[in-house]
Amino acid sequence: MTTCLGYRNPDELDKTIGTVLDKVIKDIPLEENEAILHHSEGVDLVPSNIDLEAIEVGLVNNMSREYMLKGYIDEVKNKYDYVIIDCRPSLSMITLNALACSDSVIIPVQAHYLSAKGMTQLIQTINKVRKRINPSLKIDGVLITLADMQTKVGKTTFQTLQNSYGSKIKIYDTIIPQGVKAVEGTMAGKSLFAYDKNSKPAIAYDNFCKEVLKIEKQRTRNEVAYTR
């Protein structure tokens, strides 16, 4: 994500989520807004680079290792409407840290058989984190991405997800299609909206954001009504 937002040489950045976590582990006070980059498209970004690999090793032998990222997020989250943590596709200690400090999870799944099949292990991990580390963690839904719904593979994958998980987990109505503009935007170091907001993937992501916000507003209304 750091590279896709235009930071071409992330390994040259002095401050990243890796350096922040290193300070948290060593109990060194953080500077205000440390490692936060203000992007021209109106979002703030805490970048990542190769340093995170070394931090991963250091976390394993540390006390309260699952809560290191939470300590940082708790310091900055009140400044934002939403904090989105982009995890790599692996069940690592960093991923556990992300789950430990999150309110909810959105699971992106490519419209391929193996991607859909790998969901079982991820859901099991989320359930374990909920049971042992973060009781309030919930799964908001599954987002199907890189989909070609004109092919048999795309249709079969969607149907498999619906049959296997649809009764327990929301499968978002929005489906993100394949599109060359998404690839071109990544190569240009721009978000899809900055590169071509009228492309099919950009329109789909916009619709997805609206779908998520609509569900969130409805949930908030229900919670308020329940407390009354």
Side-chain angles (χ1 to χ4, degrees):
M1 184 175 66
T2 301
T3 302
C4 291
L5 284 176
Y7 299 96
R8 291 295 192 177
N9 299 302
D11 291 342
E12 296 179 2
L13 294 171
D14 294 331
K15 296 183 179 181
T16 65
I17 190 61
T19 57
V20 165
L21 287 177
D22 186 51
K23 278 192 172 184
V24 173
I25 290 171
K26 296 175 180 177
D27 202 23
I28 299 173
L30 297 172
E31 300 173 13
E32 186 176 1
N33 298 324
E34 183 157 355
I36 295 177
L37 302 177
H38 305 291
H39 195 270
S40 60
E41 292 182 47
V43 297
D44 284 355
L45 168 72
V46 180
S48 177
N49 62 15
I50 195 66
D51 291 343
L52 197 58
E53 298 295 334
I55 297 300
E56 179 96 43
V57 176
L59 281 172
V60 174
N61 298 316
N62 203 277
M63 291 180 62
S64 302
R65 55 186 177 269
E66 297 92 351
Y67 298 100
M68 294 299 166
L69 181 59
K70 186 177 188 302
Y72 176 63
I73 295 295
D74 285 347
E75 287 195 19
V76 301
K77 67 180 183 181
N78 290 334
K79 301 176 183 178
Y80 299 96
D81 296 316
Y82 296 94
V83 176
I84 300 173
I85 305 174
D86 179 37
C87 295
R88 59 187 178 186
S90 65
L91 298 177
S92 63
M93 183 57 65
I94 296 295
T95 303
L96 289 178
N97 266 258
L99 295 175
C101 65
S102 296
D103 299 313
S104 61
V105 180
I106 292 174
I107 305 174
V109 178
Q110 293 185 25
H112 299 295
Y113 173 74
L114 290 178
S115 297
K117 193 172 179 63
M119 267 188 58
T120 301
Q121 186 180 2
L122 175 58
I123 291 173
Q124 289 175 348
T125 299
I126 292 172
N127 288 334
K128 289 179 181 178
V129 170
R130 183 189 295 123
K131 183 177 181 180
R132 302 173 184 175
I133 300 174
N134 184 1
S136 63
L137 182 66
K138 60 183 180 293
I139 299 175
D140 272 356
V142 175
L143 173 66
I144 299 175
T145 65
L146 294 175
D148 184 352
M149 300 309 291
Q150 303 302 314
T151 65
K152 183 178 180 179
V153 172
K155 293 176 181 177
T156 301
T157 303
F158 179 76
Q159 195 59 53
T160 298
L161 288 170
Q162 286 283 13
N163 294 339
S164 301
Y165 303 103
S167 62
K168 300 177 182 178
I169 302 173
K170 177 175 179 57
I171 310 295
Y172 287 108
D173 296 331
T174 307
I175 296 176
I176 309 300
Q178 290 181 331
V180 67
K181 294 298 182 181
V183 179
E184 291 174 356
T186 299
M187 294 173 62
K190 297 181 179 180
S191 76
L192 189 52
F193 296 100
Y195 187 75
D196 187 350
K197 65 180 181 179
N198 295 316
S199 64
K200 288 183 178 180
I203 293 171
Y205 273 115
D206 185 57
N207 290 335
F208 173 62
C209 290
K210 292 175 181 176
E211 184 178 359
V212 170
L213 291 174
K214 181 179 179 180
I215 294 170
E216 185 65 25
K217 288 179 181 178
Q218 184 60 51
R219 178 188 294 133
T220 301
R221 284 197 294 266
N222 291 342
E223 290 174 352
V224 171
Y226 178 77
T227 56
R228 290 176 182 172

